[in-house]
Amino acid sequence: MAKWQGMSKEELETQYSPSRWSPRMTEDAIIEAHEQVISEGTQAAQAAIQTLLNVSYGLDEGEKLDVYLPKVHSETFPLVLYFHGGYWQALSKNVSGFAALPLVTHGIALAVVDYTIAPKGQMDMMVRQVRQSVAFAVQQYTGISGVYLLGHSAGAHLAAMVLSTDWTEYGVVPNIKGVFLVSGIYDLEPIIHTYVNDVLHMTREVALQNSPLQCVPMLGDKKTCQLLIVIAQHDSPEFRRQSLEYFEALRAAGWNSFLLDIGEKDHFDVVEKLSQEDYLLTQVILSMISRS
């Protein structure tokens, strides 16, 4: 029996409520502060960077992305696709461009992807949309030297699901060179038993087929792709356990994966600080992209 299966509903809800684990402020205050920080970071990035906003990658109104372009870029350039968090039911690309400045400064383009959040969007739909966004980007921008996926929390889950895509459906095989997963969820089954599922309405079958941990055997041979699993010191024990389990499963499957445990950070500032070039995780991401 998995450890979470012995927990009461109340314990599970505590474990899967990231805002309850930050030592910085109360749970309501931390969510409000997070939205303010990433919103201000996005506004600053849009004021300083050449952007293509609301680019449609599909027919649905939720299928749009914002592209942040380097001022000076060569014929080819790396592209990072960012998938935002918000437990599949909050936030959007409009407040999620905060990581752009350090990337474009180094000649890297950033595409911030929207997907249709719950209750309108359901899990199968969201997974299909993020896969479509990657296929679109590769077809649209032929000068991409490599694709990198970056996701936070629910966005890390979606980025991980991109890895198990059957690309024959999309008529393109993206050259995914690196994946950066920050404080993610890789097993959706415990989520079914929490308030998070009130709007997602996931069945156990849907949760299992959309769990990156269950998809590891389908990932095939991706020796050329580097995977970075990031956890924060003040992520909940369940979030930390999931990251460790996913990391170990990837290593066992022969993937080139790394684990980075960042001290003195919680579920929110671990990603917020990607707006700063001197932040440890920013430096690691820039280094991995430059070496690949």
Side-chain angles (χ1 to χ4, degrees):
M1 186 170 79
K3 188 180 176 185
W4 66 265
Q5 289 172 313
M7 293 182 185
S8 67
K9 181 175 169 65
E10 190 179 17
E11 284 176 296
L12 272 176
E13 299 218 324
T14 299
Q15 286 288 334
Y16 286 95
S17 298
S19 55
R20 297 189 190 183
W21 295 87
S22 172
R24 291 188 293 141
M25 50 188 94
T26 65
E27 54 187 289
D28 288 340
I30 192 114
I31 290 173
E32 199 175 309
H34 177 62
E35 291 184 8
Q36 185 175 346
V37 168
I38 62 175
S39 181
E40 288 172 358
T42 302
Q43 288 166 13
Q46 290 184 358
I49 298 169
Q50 181 191 347
T51 55
L52 303 168
L53 301 180
N54 298 311
V55 178
S56 294
Y57 67 82
L59 300 175
D60 191 273
E61 63 184 271
E63 297 174 353
K64 291 188 169 62
L65 49 84
D66 291 344
V67 185
Y68 296 76
L69 292 164
K71 274 198 182 73
V72 180
H73 56 81
S74 55
E75 285 291 300
T76 62
F77 54 89
L79 174 71
V80 174
L81 288 110
Y82 178 70
F83 307 105
H84 67 80
Y87 253 155
W88 308 280
Q89 56 195 281
L91 304 181
S92 73
K93 67 174 178 56
N94 300 338
V95 294
S96 299
F98 55 90
L101 267 170
L103 294 171
V104 300
T105 303
H106 289 266
I108 302 160
L110 175 70
V112 182
V113 179
D114 251 355
Y115 47 92
T116 306
I117 57 175
K120 185 184 175 189
Q122 297 296 287
M123 191 56 68
D124 287 338
M125 178 185 187
M126 290 184 252
V127 169
R128 180 190 58 73
Q129 286 178 325
V130 295
R131 289 168 169 168
Q132 175 64 34
S133 75
V134 176
F136 167 84
V138 172
Q139 289 162 327
Q140 186 77 6
Y141 304 106
T142 51
I144 297 171
S145 58
V147 173
Y148 301 84
L149 310 177
L150 169 62
H152 172 241
S153 197
H157 157 265
L158 292 170
M161 286 303 295
V162 170
L163 293 174
S164 59
T165 305
D166 176 3
W167 291 110
T168 54
E169 281 182 48
Y170 296 89
V172 62
V173 181
N175 180 17
I176 300 175
K177 290 186 173 182
V179 183
F180 316 110
L181 306 174
V182 185
S183 295
I185 291 182
Y186 310 104
D187 176 10
L188 298 184
E189 196 178 357
I191 295 290
I192 299 171
H193 308 283
T194 71
Y195 68 93
V196 182
N197 202 38
D198 291 350
V199 293
L200 291 168
H201 306 297
M202 282 190 295
T203 61
R204 183 170 184 269
E205 182 187 16
V206 168
L208 291 175
Q209 71 191 22
N210 289 294
S211 287
L213 257 170
Q214 300 290 329
C215 297
V216 170
M218 293 176 260
L219 298 186
D221 180 22
K222 298 283 198 307
K223 299 290 191 297
T224 55
C225 178
Q226 293 194 319
L227 258 151
L228 179 69
I229 311 288
V230 182
I231 42 177
Q233 179 182 343
H234 299 297
D235 267 321
S236 77
E238 270 293 283
F239 267 81
R240 291 177 59 82
R241 176 191 67 78
Q242 285 217 13
S243 289
L244 286 165
E245 279 194 16
Y246 188 52
F247 167 68
E248 285 161 6
L250 289 166
R251 288 301 285 262
W255 275 68
N256 191 5
S257 54
F258 308 89
L259 183 74
L260 178 61
D261 191 342
I262 303 185
E264 299 177 2
K265 294 288 175 283
D266 58 41
H267 188 81
F268 303 95
D269 59 353
V270 70
V271 74
E272 290 167 3
K273 294 194 179 298
L274 284 175
S275 61
Q276 302 170 12
E277 185 163 342
D278 60 356
Y279 173 45
L280 170 65
L281 181 53
T282 311
Q283 288 294 310
V284 170
I285 289 171
L286 289 171
S287 172
M288 286 176 73
I289 292 174
S290 70
R291 290 199 314 268
S292 64

